Coordinates of all heavy atoms in Angstrom, one line a residue:
M1 N 0.8 -1.2 0.0 CA 0.0 0.0 0.0 C 0.9 1.3 0.0 O 1.3 1.8 1.1 CB -0.9 0.1 1.2 CG -2.1 -0.9 1.1 SD -3.2 -0.4 2.3 CE -3.3 -2.0 3.2
E2 N 1.2 1.8 -1.1 CA 2.0 2.9 -1.3 C 1.2 4.1 -0.9 O 0.1 4.2 -1.2 CB 2.6 3.1 -2.7 CG 3.4 2.0 -3.2 CD 2.5 0.8 -3.8 OE1 1.4 1.1 -4.2 OE2 3.0 -0.2 -3.8
N3 N 1.8 5.1 -0.1 CA 1.3 6.3 0.4 C -0.1 6.0 1.1 O -0.9 6.8 1.1 CB 1.0 7.3 -0.8 CG 2.3 7.7 -1.6 OD1 3.2 7.8 -0.8 ND2 2.3 7.8 -2.8
G4 N -0.2 4.9 1.7 CA -1.4 4.6 2.4 C -2.7 4.4 1.6 O -3.8 4.4 2.0
S5 N -2.5 4.2 0.3 CA -3.5 4.1 -0.6 C -4.0 2.6 -0.8 O -3.1 1.7 -0.8 CB -3.2 4.6 -2.0 OG -2.8 5.9 -2.0
T6 N -5.2 2.4 -0.9 CA -5.7 1.1 -1.3 C -5.8 1.0 -2.8 O -5.7 2.0 -3.5 CB -7.1 0.8 -0.7 OG1 -8.1 1.7 -1.3 CG2 -7.1 1.0 0.8
R7 N -6.0 -0.2 -3.3 CA -6.1 -0.3 -4.7 C -7.2 0.5 -5.4 O -7.0 1.2 -6.4 CB -6.4 -1.8 -5.0 CG -6.5 -2.1 -6.5 CD -6.8 -3.6 -6.7 NE -5.5 -4.3 -6.7 CZ -5.3 -5.5 -7.1 NH1 -6.3 -6.1 -7.8 NH2 -4.2 -6.1 -7.1
C8 N -8.3 0.6 -4.6 CA -9.5 1.3 -5.1 C -9.1 2.8 -5.1 O -9.6 3.6 -6.1 CB -10.7 1.1 -4.3 SG -12.2 1.8 -4.9
D9 N -8.5 3.3 -4.1 CA -8.1 4.7 -4.0 C -7.2 5.1 -5.2 O -7.2 6.1 -5.8 CB -7.3 5.0 -2.7 CG -8.3 5.0 -1.5 OD1 -9.5 5.0 -1.6 OD2 -7.7 4.8 -0.4
R10 N -6.3 4.2 -5.5 CA -5.3 4.5 -6.6 C -6.1 4.6 -7.9 O -5.8 5.4 -8.8 CB -4.2 3.5 -6.7 CG -3.2 3.6 -5.5 CD -2.2 2.6 -5.6 NE -2.7 1.5 -4.9 CZ -1.9 0.3 -4.8 NH1 -0.9 0.1 -5.5 NH2 -2.4 -0.7 -4.1
V11 N -7.0 3.7 -8.2 CA -7.7 3.7 -9.4 C -8.5 5.0 -9.5 O -8.5 5.6 -10.5 CB -8.8 2.6 -9.5 CG1 -9.6 2.6 -10.7 CG2 -7.9 1.2 -9.6
Q12 N -9.1 5.5 -8.4 CA -9.8 6.8 -8.4 C -8.8 8.0 -8.6 O -9.1 8.9 -9.4 CB -10.5 7.0 -7.1 CG -11.7 6.0 -6.9 CD -12.7 6.2 -8.1 OE1 -13.0 7.4 -8.4 NE2 -13.3 5.1 -8.5
E13 N -7.6 7.8 -8.1 CA -6.5 8.9 -8.2 C -6.2 8.9 -9.7 O -6.0 10.0 -10.2 CB -5.3 8.4 -7.4 CG -4.2 9.4 -7.6 CD -2.9 8.9 -6.9 OE1 -2.7 7.7 -6.7 OE2 -2.1 9.8 -6.6
F14 N -6.0 7.8 -10.4 CA -5.6 7.9 -11.8 C -6.6 8.6 -12.7 O -6.3 9.1 -13.7 CB -5.4 6.5 -12.3 CG -4.3 5.7 -11.6 CD1 -4.3 4.3 -11.5 CD2 -3.3 6.3 -11.0 CE1 -3.4 3.6 -10.8 CE2 -2.2 5.6 -10.3 CZ -2.4 4.3 -10.3
R15 N -7.9 8.5 -12.3 CA -9.0 9.1 -13.0 C -8.9 10.6 -13.0 O -9.5 11.3 -13.9 CB -10.3 8.6 -12.6 CG -10.6 7.2 -12.9 CD -12.0 6.9 -12.5 NE -12.2 5.4 -12.9 CZ -13.2 4.7 -12.5 NH1 -14.0 5.2 -11.5 NH2 -13.3 3.5 -12.9
K16 N -8.1 11.2 -12.1 CA -8.0 12.6 -12.1 C -7.0 13.1 -13.2 O -7.0 14.3 -13.5 CB -7.3 13.0 -10.7 CG -8.2 12.8 -9.5 CD -7.6 13.4 -8.2 CE -6.2 13.2 -8.0 NZ -5.7 13.8 -6.7
C17 N -6.3 12.2 -13.9 CA -5.4 12.6 -14.9 C -6.1 13.4 -16.0 O -7.2 13.1 -16.6 CB -4.8 11.4 -15.6 SG -3.6 11.7 -16.9
I18 N -5.6 14.6 -16.3 CA -6.2 15.5 -17.3 C -5.4 15.5 -18.6 O -5.7 16.2 -19.5 CB -6.2 16.9 -16.8 CG1 -4.9 17.5 -16.4 CG2 -7.2 17.1 -15.7 CD1 -4.8 18.9 -16.1
E19 N -4.6 14.5 -18.7 CA -3.8 14.2 -19.9 C -3.1 15.6 -20.5 O -3.2 15.8 -21.6 CB -4.7 13.6 -21.0 CG -5.1 12.3 -20.6 CD -5.9 11.5 -21.7 OE1 -6.0 12.0 -22.8 OE2 -6.5 10.4 -21.3
C20 N -2.5 16.2 -19.5 CA -1.7 17.4 -19.8 C -0.3 17.0 -20.4 O 0.2 17.9 -21.1 CB -1.5 18.3 -18.7 SG -0.6 17.6 -17.3
F21 N 0.2 15.9 -20.2 CA 1.4 15.3 -20.6 C 2.6 16.1 -20.1 O 3.7 16.0 -20.7 CB 1.5 15.1 -22.2 CG 0.4 14.2 -22.7 CD1 -0.8 14.6 -23.1 CD2 0.7 12.9 -22.6 CE1 -1.8 13.7 -23.6 CE2 -0.2 11.9 -23.0 CZ -1.4 12.3 -23.5
L22 N 2.5 16.8 -19.0 CA 3.7 17.4 -18.4 C 4.6 16.2 -17.9 O 5.8 16.4 -17.9 CB 3.3 18.2 -17.1 CG 2.6 19.6 -17.5 CD1 2.1 20.2 -16.2 CD2 3.5 20.5 -18.2
C23 N 4.0 15.1 -17.5 CA 4.9 14.0 -17.0 C 5.7 13.4 -18.2 O 6.8 13.1 -17.9 CB 3.9 12.8 -16.5 SG 2.6 12.2 -17.6
Q24 N 5.1 13.5 -19.4 CA 5.9 13.1 -20.5 C 7.1 14.1 -20.9 O 8.2 13.7 -21.2 CB 5.0 13.0 -21.8 CG 3.9 12.1 -21.7 CD 4.2 10.6 -21.8 OE1 4.5 9.9 -20.8 NE2 4.2 10.1 -23.0
N25 N 6.7 15.4 -20.7 CA 7.7 16.4 -21.0 C 8.9 16.3 -20.1 O 10.1 16.8 -20.5 CB 7.1 17.8 -20.9 CG 6.1 18.0 -21.9 OD1 6.1 17.4 -23.0 ND2 5.2 19.0 -21.7
V26 N 8.9 15.9 -18.8 CA 10.0 15.9 -18.0 C 10.7 14.5 -17.9 O 11.7 14.3 -17.3 CB 9.6 16.3 -16.5 CG1 9.1 17.8 -16.5 CG2 8.7 15.4 -15.9
C27 N 10.2 13.6 -18.6 CA 10.7 12.2 -18.5 C 12.0 12.1 -19.3 O 12.2 12.4 -20.4 CB 9.6 11.3 -19.2 SG 10.3 9.5 -19.2
H28 N 13.0 11.7 -18.5 CA 14.3 11.5 -19.0 C 14.4 10.6 -20.1 O 15.3 10.7 -21.0 CB 15.4 11.2 -17.8 CG 15.3 9.8 -17.4 ND1 16.0 8.8 -18.0 CD2 14.4 9.2 -16.5 CE1 15.7 7.7 -17.4 NE2 14.7 7.8 -16.5
V29 N 13.7 9.6 -20.1 CA 13.7 8.5 -21.1 C 13.3 9.1 -22.5 O 14.0 8.8 -23.5 CB 12.7 7.4 -20.8 CG1 12.8 6.3 -21.9 CG2 13.1 6.7 -19.5
L30 N 12.4 10.0 -22.4 CA 12.0 10.6 -23.7 C 12.8 11.9 -24.0 O 13.3 12.1 -25.1 CB 10.5 11.1 -23.6 CG 9.5 9.9 -23.4 CD1 8.1 10.4 -23.1 CD2 9.6 9.0 -24.6
R31 N 13.1 12.7 -22.9 CA 13.9 13.9 -23.2 C 15.3 13.8 -23.5 O 15.9 14.3 -24.4 CB 13.7 14.8 -21.9 CG 14.3 16.2 -22.0 CD 14.3 16.9 -20.7 NE 15.2 16.3 -19.7 CZ 14.8 15.9 -18.5 NH1 13.7 16.0 -18.1 NH2 15.7 15.2 -17.8
D32 N 16.0 12.9 -22.7 CA 17.5 12.7 -22.9 C 17.9 11.5 -23.7 O 18.9 11.5 -24.3 CB 18.1 12.5 -21.5 CG 17.9 13.7 -20.5 OD1 17.7 14.8 -21.0 OD2 18.0 13.5 -19.3
H33 N 17.0 10.5 -23.8 CA 17.4 9.4 -24.6 C 16.5 9.1 -25.8 O 16.8 8.2 -26.5 CB 17.3 8.1 -23.7 CG 18.1 8.3 -22.4 ND1 19.5 8.3 -22.4 CD2 17.8 8.5 -21.2 CE1 20.0 8.5 -21.2 NE2 18.9 8.5 -20.4
A34 N 15.6 10.0 -26.1 CA 14.7 9.9 -27.3 C 14.2 8.5 -27.7 O 14.3 8.1 -28.7 CB 15.6 10.5 -28.5
K35 N 13.6 7.8 -26.6 CA 13.0 6.6 -26.8 C 11.6 6.6 -27.1 O 10.7 5.8 -26.8 CB 13.2 5.8 -25.5 CG 14.7 5.5 -25.1 CD 15.3 4.5 -26.1 CE 16.7 4.1 -25.7 NZ 17.3 3.3 -26.6
H36 N 11.2 7.7 -27.9 CA 9.8 7.9 -28.3 C 9.1 6.7 -28.9 O 7.9 6.5 -28.7 CB 9.6 9.1 -29.2 CG 10.0 10.4 -28.4 ND1 11.3 10.8 -28.4 CD2 9.3 11.3 -27.8 CE1 11.4 12.0 -27.8 NE2 10.2 12.2 -27.4
E37 N 9.8 6.0 -29.7 CA 9.2 4.8 -30.5 C 9.0 3.7 -29.6 O 8.1 2.9 -29.9 CB 10.1 4.5 -31.7 CG 10.1 5.6 -32.7 CD 8.8 6.0 -33.3 OE1 8.0 5.0 -33.6 OE2 8.5 7.2 -33.5
S38 N 9.8 3.5 -28.6 CA 9.7 2.2 -27.8 C 9.1 2.4 -26.4 O 8.8 1.4 -25.7 CB 11.1 1.7 -27.7 OG 12.0 2.5 -27.2
F39 N 9.1 3.6 -25.8 CA 8.7 3.8 -24.5 C 7.3 4.3 -24.4 O 6.9 5.3 -25.0 CB 9.6 4.9 -23.8 CG 9.4 5.0 -22.4 CD1 9.6 4.0 -21.4 CD2 9.1 6.3 -21.8 CE1 9.4 4.2 -20.1 CE2 8.8 6.5 -20.5 CZ 9.1 5.4 -19.6
G40 N 6.4 3.6 -23.6 CA 5.0 4.0 -23.5 C 4.8 5.4 -22.8 O 3.9 6.0 -23.3
G41 N 5.6 5.6 -21.8 CA 5.5 6.9 -21.2 C 4.5 6.9 -20.0 O 3.7 6.0 -19.8
R42 N 4.7 7.9 -19.2 CA 4.0 8.0 -17.9 C 2.5 8.0 -18.1 O 1.8 7.4 -17.3 CB 4.4 9.3 -17.1 CG 5.8 9.5 -16.8 CD 6.5 8.2 -16.5 NE 7.7 8.4 -15.8 CZ 8.9 8.0 -16.2 NH1 9.1 7.5 -17.3 NH2 10.0 8.3 -15.4
A43 N 2.0 8.7 -18.9 CA 0.5 8.9 -19.1 C -0.1 7.4 -19.4 O -1.2 7.0 -18.9 CB 0.0 9.9 -20.2
F44 N 0.6 6.7 -20.3 CA 0.2 5.4 -20.7 C 0.2 4.5 -19.5 O -0.7 3.6 -19.2 CB 1.0 4.8 -21.8 CG 0.8 3.4 -22.0 CD1 -0.4 2.9 -22.8 CD2 1.6 2.4 -21.5 CE1 -0.6 1.6 -23.0 CE2 1.4 1.0 -21.8 CZ 0.3 0.7 -22.5
F45 N 1.3 4.6 -18.7 CA 1.5 3.7 -17.5 C 0.4 3.9 -16.5 O -0.1 3.1 -15.8 CB 2.8 3.8 -16.9 CG 3.9 3.3 -17.9 CD1 5.1 4.0 -18.1 CD2 3.8 2.1 -18.6 CE1 6.0 3.6 -18.9 CE2 4.7 1.7 -19.5 CZ 5.9 2.4 -19.6
V46 N 0.0 5.2 -16.3 CA -1.2 5.5 -15.4 C -2.4 4.8 -15.9 O -3.1 4.2 -15.0 CB -1.3 7.0 -15.2 CG1 -2.6 7.4 -14.6 CG2 -0.2 7.7 -14.5
R47 N -2.7 4.9 -17.1 CA -3.9 4.3 -17.6 C -3.9 2.8 -17.5 O -4.8 2.0 -17.1 CB -4.1 4.7 -19.1 CG -5.4 4.2 -19.8 CD -6.6 4.7 -19.2 NE -7.7 4.3 -19.9 CZ -8.8 3.8 -19.3 NH1 -8.9 3.9 -18.1 NH2 -9.8 3.4 -20.0
A48 N -2.7 2.2 -17.9 CA -2.5 0.7 -17.8 C -2.6 0.2 -16.3 O -3.3 -0.8 -16.1 CB -1.2 0.3 -18.4
A49 N -2.1 0.9 -15.4 CA -2.1 0.6 -14.0 C -3.5 0.7 -13.5 O -3.9 -0.2 -12.7 CB -1.2 1.5 -13.2
G50 N -4.3 1.7 -13.9 CA -5.7 1.7 -13.5 C -6.5 0.6 -13.9 O -7.3 0.1 -13.2
L51 N -6.3 0.1 -15.2 CA -7.0 -1.0 -15.7 C -6.6 -2.3 -15.0 O -7.3 -3.1 -14.7 CB -6.8 -1.1 -17.2 CG -7.5 0.0 -18.0 CD1 -7.0 0.0 -19.4 CD2 -8.9 -0.1 -17.9
E52 N -5.3 -2.4 -14.8 CA -4.6 -3.5 -14.2 C -5.2 -3.7 -12.7 O -5.4 -4.8 -12.2 CB -3.2 -3.3 -14.1 CG -2.3 -4.5 -13.9 CD -2.4 -5.7 -14.9 OE1 -2.9 -5.6 -16.1 OE2 -1.8 -6.6 -14.5
M53 N -5.5 -2.6 -12.0 CA -6.0 -2.7 -10.6 C -7.5 -2.8 -10.5 O -8.0 -3.0 -9.5 CB -5.4 -1.5 -9.8 CG -3.9 -1.5 -9.7 SD -3.4 0.0 -8.9 CE -1.7 0.0 -9.2
H54 N -8.2 -2.5 -11.6 CA -9.7 -2.6 -11.5 C -10.1 -4.0 -11.2 O -9.7 -5.0 -11.8 CB -10.2 -2.1 -12.8 CG -11.7 -1.8 -12.7 ND1 -12.7 -2.8 -12.6 CD2 -12.4 -0.6 -12.6 CE1 -13.8 -2.2 -12.5 NE2 -13.7 -0.9 -12.5
P55 N -11.0 -4.1 -10.2 CA -11.4 -5.5 -9.8 C -12.2 -6.3 -10.8 O -12.2 -7.5 -10.7 CB -12.3 -5.3 -8.5 CG -12.7 -3.9 -8.6 CD -11.6 -3.1 -9.3
L56 N -12.8 -5.6 -11.7 CA -13.6 -6.4 -12.8 C -12.8 -6.6 -14.0 O -13.3 -7.2 -15.0 CB -14.8 -5.6 -13.1 CG -15.8 -5.4 -11.9 CD1 -17.0 -4.6 -12.4 CD2 -16.2 -6.8 -11.3
D57 N -11.7 -6.0 -14.2 CA -10.8 -6.2 -15.3 C -9.8 -7.5 -15.2 O -9.0 -7.4 -14.3 CB -10.0 -4.9 -15.6 CG -9.3 -5.0 -17.1 OD1 -8.6 -5.9 -17.2 OD2 -9.6 -4.1 -17.8
G58 N -10.0 -8.5 -15.9 CA -9.2 -9.6 -15.8 C -8.0 -9.7 -16.8 O -7.3 -10.7 -16.8
V59 N -7.8 -8.8 -17.6 CA -6.8 -8.8 -18.6 C -5.4 -8.4 -18.0 O -5.4 -7.4 -17.3 CB -7.1 -7.8 -19.8 CG1 -6.0 -7.8 -20.8 CG2 -8.4 -8.2 -20.4
S60 N -4.4 -9.2 -18.3 CA -3.1 -8.9 -17.8 C -2.4 -8.0 -18.9 O -2.3 -8.3 -20.0 CB -2.2 -10.1 -17.6 OG -0.9 -9.8 -17.3
R61 N -1.8 -7.0 -18.4 CA -1.0 -5.9 -19.2 C 0.4 -6.0 -18.8 O 1.1 -5.2 -19.2 CB -1.6 -4.6 -19.0 CG -3.0 -4.4 -19.6 CD -3.7 -3.2 -19.3 NE -5.0 -3.3 -19.8 CZ -6.1 -4.0 -19.2 NH1 -5.9 -4.5 -18.0 NH2 -7.2 -3.9 -19.7
T62 N 0.8 -7.0 -18.2 CA 2.3 -7.1 -17.8 C 3.2 -7.2 -19.0 O 4.2 -6.5 -19.1 CB 2.5 -8.4 -16.9 OG1 1.6 -8.3 -15.8 CG2 3.9 -8.5 -16.3
A63 N 2.9 -8.1 -19.9 CA 3.7 -8.2 -21.1 C 3.6 -7.0 -22.0 O 4.7 -6.5 -22.5 CB 3.2 -9.5 -21.9
L64 N 2.6 -6.3 -22.0 CA 2.4 -5.1 -22.8 C 3.4 -4.0 -22.2 O 4.1 -3.4 -22.8 CB 0.9 -4.6 -22.8 CG 0.8 -3.2 -23.4 CD1 1.0 -3.3 -24.9 CD2 -0.7 -2.7 -23.1
A65 N 3.2 -3.8 -20.8 CA 4.1 -2.9 -20.1 C 5.5 -3.2 -20.3 O 6.4 -2.2 -20.5 CB 3.7 -2.8 -18.7
E66 N 5.9 -4.4 -20.2 CA 7.4 -4.8 -20.3 C 7.9 -4.8 -21.7 O 8.9 -4.2 -22.1 CB 7.6 -6.1 -19.6 CG 9.1 -6.5 -19.6 CD 9.4 -7.6 -18.7 OE1 8.4 -8.2 -18.0 OE2 10.5 -8.1 -18.7
N67 N 7.2 -5.6 -22.6 CA 7.7 -5.8 -23.9 C 7.5 -4.7 -25.0 O 8.3 -4.2 -25.7 CB 7.2 -7.1 -24.4 CG 7.5 -8.3 -23.6 OD1 8.6 -8.2 -22.9 ND2 6.7 -9.3 -23.5
E68 N 6.2 -4.1 -25.0 CA 5.9 -3.2 -26.0 C 6.0 -1.8 -25.5 O 6.1 -0.9 -26.4 CB 4.4 -3.4 -26.5 CG 4.4 -4.8 -27.2 CD 2.9 -5.1 -27.7 OE1 2.2 -4.2 -28.1 OE2 2.5 -6.3 -27.5
S69 N 6.0 -1.6 -24.3 CA 6.0 -0.2 -23.8 C 7.3 0.1 -22.9 O 7.5 1.2 -22.4 CB 4.8 0.1 -22.8 OG 3.6 -0.1 -23.6
A70 N 8.1 -0.9 -22.8 CA 9.4 -0.7 -22.3 C 9.5 0.0 -20.9 O 10.2 0.9 -20.6 CB 10.4 0.0 -23.2
I71 N 8.6 -0.4 -19.9 CA 8.6 0.1 -18.6 C 9.9 0.0 -17.9 O 10.2 0.8 -17.0 CB 7.4 -0.5 -17.8 CG1 7.1 0.4 -16.5 CG2 7.7 -1.9 -17.3 CD1 5.9 0.1 -15.8
G72 N 10.7 -1.0 -18.3 CA 12.1 -1.2 -17.7 C 13.0 0.1 -17.9 O 14.0 0.2 -17.1
Y73 N 12.7 0.9 -18.9 CA 13.5 2.1 -19.1 C 13.4 3.1 -17.9 O 14.3 3.9 -17.6 CB 13.2 2.8 -20.4 CG 13.6 2.2 -21.6 CD1 12.9 2.4 -22.9 CD2 14.7 1.3 -21.7 CE1 13.3 1.8 -24.1 CE2 15.1 0.8 -22.9 CZ 14.3 1.0 -24.0 OH 14.7 0.4 -25.2
C74 N 12.2 3.1 -17.2 CA 12.0 4.1 -16.2 C 12.9 3.6 -14.9 O 13.0 2.5 -14.5 CB 10.6 4.1 -15.7 SG 10.3 5.1 -14.4
N75 N 13.7 4.7 -14.5 CA 14.5 4.4 -13.3 C 14.1 5.1 -12.1 O 14.8 5.4 -11.1 CB 16.0 4.7 -13.7 CG 16.2 6.1 -14.0 OD1 15.4 7.0 -13.9 ND2 17.5 6.5 -14.3
I76 N 12.8 5.4 -12.0 CA 12.1 5.9 -10.8 C 12.7 7.2 -10.3 O 12.9 7.3 -9.1 CB 12.1 4.8 -9.7 CG1 11.8 3.3 -10.2 CG2 11.2 5.1 -8.5 CD1 10.4 3.2 -10.8
T77 N 12.8 8.2 -11.2 CA 13.2 9.5 -10.6 C 12.1 10.3 -10.0 O 12.5 11.3 -9.3 CB 13.8 10.3 -11.9 OG1 12.8 10.5 -12.8 CG2 15.0 9.5 -12.5
K78 N 11.0 10.0 -10.2 CA 9.8 10.6 -9.7 C 9.6 12.1 -10.2 O 8.8 12.8 -9.7 CB 9.8 10.7 -8.1 CG 9.7 9.3 -7.5 CD 9.4 9.4 -6.0 CE 9.3 8.0 -5.5 NZ 8.9 8.0 -4.1
C79 N 10.3 12.4 -11.3 CA 10.1 13.7 -11.8 C 8.7 13.9 -12.4 O 8.1 15.0 -12.4 CB 11.1 14.0 -12.9 SG 11.1 12.8 -14.3
C80 N 8.1 12.8 -12.9 CA 6.7 12.9 -13.4 C 5.7 13.2 -12.3 O 4.8 14.0 -12.4 CB 6.4 11.6 -14.1 SG 6.6 10.1 -13.1
T81 N 6.0 12.6 -11.1 CA 5.0 12.9 -10.0 C 5.2 14.3 -9.6 O 4.2 15.0 -9.1 CB 5.4 11.9 -8.8 OG1 5.2 10.6 -9.2 CG2 4.6 12.2 -7.5
E82 N 6.4 14.7 -9.5 CA 6.6 16.1 -9.0 C 6.0 17.2 -10.0 O 5.6 18.3 -9.3 CB 8.1 16.4 -9.0 CG 8.9 15.7 -8.0 CD 10.4 15.8 -8.1 OE1 10.9 16.5 -8.9 OE2 11.1 15.0 -7.4
V83 N 5.8 17.0 -11.2 CA 5.2 18.0 -12.0 C 3.6 17.9 -12.2 O 3.1 18.7 -12.8 CB 5.8 18.1 -13.4 CG1 7.3 18.4 -13.3 CG2 5.6 16.9 -14.2
C84 N 3.1 16.8 -11.8 CA 1.6 16.5 -12.0 C 0.7 17.5 -11.3 O 0.8 17.6 -10.1 CB 1.3 15.1 -11.5 SG -0.5 14.7 -11.8
P85 N 0.0 18.3 -12.1 CA -0.9 19.3 -11.5 C -2.0 18.7 -10.7 O -2.6 19.4 -9.9 CB -1.4 20.1 -12.7 CG -1.3 19.1 -13.9 CD -0.1 18.3 -13.5
E86 N -2.4 17.4 -11.0 CA -3.5 16.7 -10.2 C -2.9 16.0 -9.0 O -3.7 15.3 -8.3 CB -4.2 15.9 -11.2 CG -4.9 16.5 -12.3 CD -6.0 17.5 -11.7 OE1 -6.8 17.1 -10.8 OE2 -6.1 18.7 -12.2
E87 N -1.6 16.1 -8.8 CA -0.9 15.5 -7.7 C -1.2 14.0 -7.6 O -1.3 13.3 -6.6 CB -1.3 16.1 -6.3 CG -1.0 17.6 -6.3 CD -1.3 18.2 -5.0 OE1 -2.0 17.6 -4.1 OE2 -1.1 19.5 -4.8
I88 N -1.1 13.4 -8.8 CA -1.2 11.9 -8.9 C 0.2 11.3 -8.6 O 1.2 11.8 -9.1 CB -1.6 11.5 -10.3 CG1 -3.0 12.0 -10.7 CG2 -1.6 10.0 -10.4 CD1 -3.4 11.9 -12.1
H89 N 0.3 10.3 -7.8 CA 1.5 9.7 -7.3 C 1.9 8.7 -8.4 O 1.7 7.5 -8.2 CB 1.4 9.0 -6.0 CG 1.2 10.1 -4.9 ND1 -0.1 10.3 -4.4 CD2 2.0 10.9 -4.3 CE1 0.0 11.3 -3.5 NE2 1.3 11.6 -3.4
I90 N 2.2 9.1 -9.6 CA 2.4 8.4 -10.8 C 3.5 7.2 -10.5 O 3.3 6.0 -10.8 CB 2.9 9.2 -12.0 CG1 1.8 10.3 -12.3 CG2 3.3 8.4 -13.2 CD1 2.3 11.4 -13.2
T91 N 4.6 7.7 -9.9 CA 5.7 6.7 -9.7 C 5.3 5.6 -8.7 O 5.4 4.4 -9.0 CB 7.0 7.4 -9.2 OG1 7.3 8.4 -10.2 CG2 8.1 6.4 -9.1
D92 N 4.9 6.1 -7.5 CA 4.6 5.2 -6.5 C 3.3 4.3 -6.7 O 3.3 3.1 -6.3 CB 4.4 5.8 -5.1 CG 5.7 6.5 -4.6 OD1 6.7 6.0 -4.9 OD2 5.6 7.5 -3.9
N93 N 2.4 4.8 -7.3 CA 1.1 4.1 -7.5 C 0.8 3.5 -8.8 O -0.2 2.8 -8.9 CB -0.1 5.1 -7.0 CG -0.1 5.3 -5.5 OD1 0.5 4.7 -4.7 ND2 -0.7 6.5 -5.2
A94 N 1.5 3.9 -9.8 CA 1.3 3.2 -11.1 C 2.6 2.5 -11.6 O 2.6 1.4 -12.0 CB 0.9 4.4 -12.2
I95 N 3.7 3.2 -11.7 CA 4.9 2.6 -12.4 C 5.5 1.5 -11.5 O 5.8 0.5 -12.1 CB 5.9 3.8 -12.7 CG1 5.3 4.7 -13.8 CG2 7.3 3.1 -13.2 CD1 6.1 5.9 -14.1
I96 N 5.7 1.8 -10.2 CA 6.3 0.7 -9.4 C 5.5 -0.5 -9.3 O 6.0 -1.6 -9.6 CB 6.6 1.3 -8.0 CG1 7.8 2.3 -8.1 CG2 7.0 0.2 -7.0 CD1 8.2 3.0 -6.8
P97 N 4.1 -0.4 -9.1 CA 3.3 -1.6 -9.1 C 3.4 -2.4 -10.4 O 3.4 -3.7 -10.5 CB 1.9 -1.2 -8.9 CG 2.1 0.1 -8.1 CD 3.3 0.7 -8.6
L98 N 3.4 -1.6 -11.5 CA 3.5 -2.3 -12.9 C 4.9 -3.0 -13.0 O 4.9 -4.1 -13.5 CB 3.4 -1.3 -14.0 CG 1.9 -0.9 -14.4 CD1 1.8 0.2 -15.4 CD2 1.1 -2.0 -14.8
K99 N 5.9 -2.4 -12.5 CA 7.2 -3.0 -12.6 C 7.3 -4.2 -11.7 O 8.0 -5.2 -12.0 CB 8.3 -2.0 -12.2 CG 8.5 -0.9 -13.3 CD 9.7 0.0 -12.9 CE 10.9 -0.5 -13.3 NZ 11.9 0.5 -13.8
E100 N 6.6 -4.2 -10.6 CA 6.7 -5.3 -9.6 C 5.9 -6.5 -10.2 O 6.3 -7.7 -10.0 CB 6.1 -4.9 -8.3 CG 7.1 -4.0 -7.5 CD 6.6 -3.5 -6.2 OE1 5.3 -3.6 -6.0 OE2 7.4 -2.9 -5.4
R101 N 4.9 -6.3 -11.0 CA 4.1 -7.4 -11.6 C 4.9 -8.2 -12.5 O 4.6 -9.3 -12.8 CB 2.9 -6.8 -12.3 CG 1.8 -6.4 -11.4 CD 0.7 -5.8 -12.1 NE -0.3 -5.3 -11.1 CZ -1.4 -5.9 -10.8 NH1 -1.6 -7.2 -11.2 NH2 -2.2 -5.4 -9.9
R102 N 5.9 -7.6 -13.1 CA 6.7 -8.4 -14.1 C 7.8 -9.3 -13.5 O 8.4 -10.0 -14.2 CB 7.4 -7.4 -15.1 CG 8.3 -6.5 -14.5 CD 8.8 -5.4 -15.5 NE 10.0 -4.9 -14.9 CZ 11.1 -4.5 -15.5 NH1 11.1 -4.5 -16.8 NH2 12.1 -4.1 -14.9
R103 N 7.9 -9.3 -12.3 CA 8.9 -10.2 -11.6 C 8.3 -11.7 -11.4 O 7.3 -11.9 -11.3 CB 9.2 -9.7 -10.2 CG 10.0 -8.4 -10.3 CD 10.3 -8.0 -9.0 NE 11.0 -6.6 -9.1 CZ 11.1 -5.8 -8.2 NH1 10.6 -5.9 -7.0 NH2 11.7 -4.6 -8.4

């Protein structure tokens, strides 16, 4: 339970995303390494994590996050969380849980 959040609280938190893509703008994977073609990005990971945590959704997105969206490129700098105007805990509540599912 990151930040004292339950799974349901996190799903609700992700719905606050206004898709401003500020998280994408500060992402080192995109900004410094130009992995635009292979990296899904923070906004995608928030959406995927929300679906992955929904109690009625039984589809696994682990392979999608790892293989097609290259979540492994993220090194957890939390820069995306710091700039989020909706104060979504992107790193702790979306990216880290997705990364942990691939183990």
